Amino acid sequence: MINPKDAHIKPLPMPDADSQAFWLGINEGKLLLQHCQACGHVQYYQQAICRACGSEHLEHRAASGRGKVHSFSVVHRAPGPAFKQDTPYAVILVELEEGPRMISSFVGADPAVVSFDMAVELVCESAGGGVSLPRFRAA
Amino acid sequence: MTLKQTSSTRSLRGKTAVIGAALSAVGRVPGKSALALAADAATKAMADAGIGRGDIDGVLSSHAFAAPFHRFSVAISEYLGIQPTFSNTLQVSGATAATMFNIAAAAIAGGLAETVLVVGGDSLLTGLSPDLALRSMTESRDQQYEMPFGIPVANTFAMTAHRHMKEFGTTAEQFAKVAVTQRDHARRTPGAQMTGPLTVDDVLNSGMVTTPYHKLDCSLISDGGAAFIVTSAERAKALGIAKPIYILGGGECYTHEHIFLMPSLTTTGAVQSSAKAYAMAGCGPKDIDVAGVYDCFTGTVIMILEDLGFCAKGEGGPFVEAGQMTYGGAVPCNTHGGLLSFAHSGMPGSLFHFYEVVNQLRGRCGERQVAGAELGLVHSLGAGFATNATTILGTEATL
């Protein structure tokens, strides 16, 4: 059964064997992308094989941290009590300079300023419990 | 990534038929467990088909948030006193409904079962607190790369709708028109959860949930169950069923798991799933008389109307605005009111679209009846368009 107490706790990433390096990188302020040495594909998120060609030869490289907003949605009604005090906040779909897209949230200014194709840059922020999250602010 | 289209000479066309369909009470139904709602619908569906428990040898179901059995299909079988020799609990979020019909047809055509109970029931409205109901929705997003950012399921769909506005000039008023059209439909549907009059302004003034979606752009939270009896065409004939509704085609497509890997935010896997279903059924979008289009949010309907081929890409907004998704238009859709106004009890929600389309094809919809409806389509989807499934149904005249 769903435990009512859980609904008040913000979910934090639980790194697994695939993603450990990624979350360590975020804690150090770096957004690691996987570059395939066989086909050149660049991917987010972290996994054991290249999604384009299946190669296992993947190399971590830190992203520039620059990107633009491909789409976004400003949340006024939180998904459960854990996020209630944060509203309104902007969830953004960032297209990174290197190509991949990722989900993140906008920080550092009123969410009302977020717009399509807006330039943003990475900020790795502590989310408590020794975990940081990759968020973005206006560039 | 390019998606491969498979072509096959093997086909489900006309090999199976829906011979029974029923709903439990839907909307706010306190005091009934998810299993009780599913069982109630199942019992009524068997009565509708004129068969008994002993005639069922297959059971397919969806999951239930309020009764989180790992094997809901097995639990509901036990509850009903059935020991099926074919069963599975399917889970591809909102697309599950159409996959249940596709898989029931395939199982029967392939000899795994003769008569399959397709069933779902859940009590999201009174069986879970509202916060937990919402939380149960967010938990379907990825724990590492999505959930930590406070992303409700609504938000994934909202980002696609937002991008649709940017790319094609779709407006908030056009989204609202979907809700208004479907409310007009629900007002004529006995048992619908929302039956009060609704205007575009009401939708726009209903409070923002997650931009661009207002409260009334979002589907309901409900209780309710639905059940169907699917059997072979031969068995339907032997039973002397007055109006069997044949499964003519099915197709599915799974383009991504994470919303950030959706190949395009404005074109969905419904393009591929419906292409497969149309090819199997031997028809096209212009031939469809009545449709059930998954409507978790208003913009979802606009995008899917485009991807099912009812209008061109980007023209969904004007299509809806011109009344093309209601009576007298190109394709009456969600004539029961849909998830937006009839009811949305989670996984069973899209089964309500099947119930409506089956009854339209059986000519049982009273004042909602679409005149001369012979060929129907239901499209189910879920998880930020990660999952898409289409089923095409028809009367004997379409065989």
Side-chain angles (χ1 to χ4, degrees), chain B residues 287-311:
Chain B
D287 303 313
I288 301 297
D289 298 314
V290 60
V293 174
Y294 200 86
D295 56 321
C296 46
F297 301 95
T298 52
T300 307
V301 175
I302 284 177
M303 286 171 61
I304 294 299
L305 288 171
E306 297 167 356
D307 291 351
L308 295 175
F310 294 131
C311 61

Side-chain angles (χ1 to χ4, degrees), chain A:
Chain A
M1 293 297 284
I2 299 161
N3 182 347
K5 274 189 280 185
D6 292 346
H8 293 271
I9 301 165
K10 275 186 189 167
L12 288 175
M14 295 192 296
D16 58 26
D18 280 348
S19 65
Q20 227 155 19
F22 174 79
W23 291 108
L24 281 174
I26 293 296
N27 275 353
E28 293 166 8
K30 287 184 294 196
L31 176 70
L32 296 180
L33 297 174
Q34 289 181 314
H35 290 248
C36 177
Q37 293 177 301
C39 76
H41 178 68
V42 184
Q43 69 186 17
Y44 174 87
Y45 55 98
Q46 313 294 301
Q47 55 179 64
I49 58 168
C50 170
R51 283 195 287 275
C53 77
S55 166
E56 293 176 10
H57 299 288
L58 299 166
E59 184 185 69
H60 277 130
R61 286 186 217 161
S64 70
R66 289 187 294 272
K68 58 181 187 174
V69 174
H70 183 69
S71 194
F72 64 101
S73 179
V74 180
V75 179
H76 292 264
R77 201 173 151 199
F83 288 93
K84 219 167 235 175
Q85 73 277 8
D86 297 344
T87 59
Y89 60 91
V91 175
I92 54 178
L93 182 61
V94 179
E95 188 162 293
L96 299 171
E97 200 171 62
E98 292 82 0
R101 291 178 188 157
M102 64 184 286
I103 283 290
S104 184
S105 46
F106 181 75
V107 291
D110 190 316
V113 305
V114 177
S115 61
F116 289 102
D117 301 326
M118 175 182 183
V120 289
E121 64 183 17
L122 178 72
V123 201
C124 293
E125 277 192 353
S126 170
V131 180
S132 292
L133 290 175
R135 304 190 195 273
F136 286 81
R137 66 184 171 211

Side-chain angles (χ1 to χ4, degrees), chain B residues 21-110:
Chain B
L23 304 184
S24 71
V26 301
R28 178 176 291 277
V29 191
K32 293 251 189 197
S33 72
L35 282 168
L37 292 167
D40 181 35
T43 304
K44 288 175 182 160
M46 285 184 259
D48 184 42
I51 65 168
R53 291 181 303 171
D55 297 311
I56 305 280
D57 64 347
V59 176
L60 288 174
S61 84
S62 46
H63 277 280
F65 285 111
F69 289 97
H70 283 277
R71 302 161 293 276
F72 191 89
S73 68
V74 178
I76 187 66
S77 299
E78 179 182 83
Y79 197 102
L80 290 164
I82 298 173
Q83 295 176 329
T85 50
F86 167 75
S87 187
N88 224 317
T89 308
L90 303 178
Q91 172 55 294
V92 283
S93 293
T96 303
T99 68
M100 284 198 276
F101 284 86
N102 295 346
I103 291 169
I108 294 164

Side-chain angles (χ1 to χ4, degrees), chain B residues 152-392:
Chain B
V153 166
N155 195 274
T156 63
F157 284 102
M159 280 190 285
T160 65
H162 217 172
R163 187 75 199 175
H164 200 276
M165 295 173 95
K166 152 135 177 95
E167 288 182 15
F168 304 110
T170 311
T171 65
E173 287 77 11
Q174 289 166 342
F175 291 147
K177 186 66 194 283
V178 173
V180 169
T181 303
Q182 293 192 196
R183 178 63 61 85
D184 289 344
H185 295 167
R187 285 165 64 78
R188 297 197 277 179
T189 309
Q193 195 169 338
M194 302 298 282
T195 54
L198 187 70
T199 66
V200 165
D201 280 345
D202 291 337
V203 178
L204 299 181
N205 293 323
S206 62
M208 196 57 87
V209 172
T210 187
T211 55
Y213 284 148
H214 309 85
K215 184 176 177 223
L216 293 175
D217 286 301
C218 305
S219 50
L220 300 165
I221 294 174
S222 321
D223 306 320
F228 302 82
I229 309 297
V230 183
T231 193
S232 63
E234 295 80 13
R235 179 111 180 102
K237 200 148 276 179
L239 287 167
I241 299 296
K243 198 149 190 197
I245 300 304
Y246 294 90
I247 295 174
L248 301 178
E252 302 174 16
C253 188
Y254 305 91
T255 46
H256 58 282
E257 167 65 21
H258 297 86
I259 188 66
F260 52 83
L261 286 172
M262 187 170 178
S264 152
L265 282 195
T266 53
T267 299
T268 75
V271 172
Q272 289 85 2
S273 73
S274 64
K276 282 193 76 171
Y278 288 133
M280 191 182 287
C283 66
K286 295 267 181 292
D287 303 313
I288 301 297
D289 298 314
V290 60
V293 174
Y294 200 86
D295 56 321
C296 46
F297 301 95
T298 52
T300 307
V301 175
I302 284 177
M303 286 171 61
I304 294 299
L305 288 171
E306 297 167 356
D307 291 351
L308 295 175
F310 294 131
C311 61
K313 180 48 65 186
E315 289 176 12
F319 182 83
V320 166
E321 210 162 39
Q324 300 288 6
M325 66 168 283
T326 190
Y327 297 87
V331 56
C333 285
N334 301 341
T335 49
H336 60 312
L339 306 173
L340 290 164
S341 278
F342 179 74
H344 184 12
S345 55
M347 301 299 168
S350 189
L351 290 177
F352 303 152
H353 297 80
F354 274 93
Y355 181 72
E356 177 72 3
V357 168
V358 164
N359 279 334
Q360 286 285 359
L361 298 176
R362 298 203 285 193
R364 291 194 193 176
C365 283
E367 61 170 328
R368 295 194 321 284
Q369 185 61 44
V370 173
E374 303 282 356
L375 195 58
L377 176 151
V378 181
H379 185 78
S380 308
L381 64 88
F385 294 113
T387 64
N388 280 276
T390 313
T391 304
I392 295 174

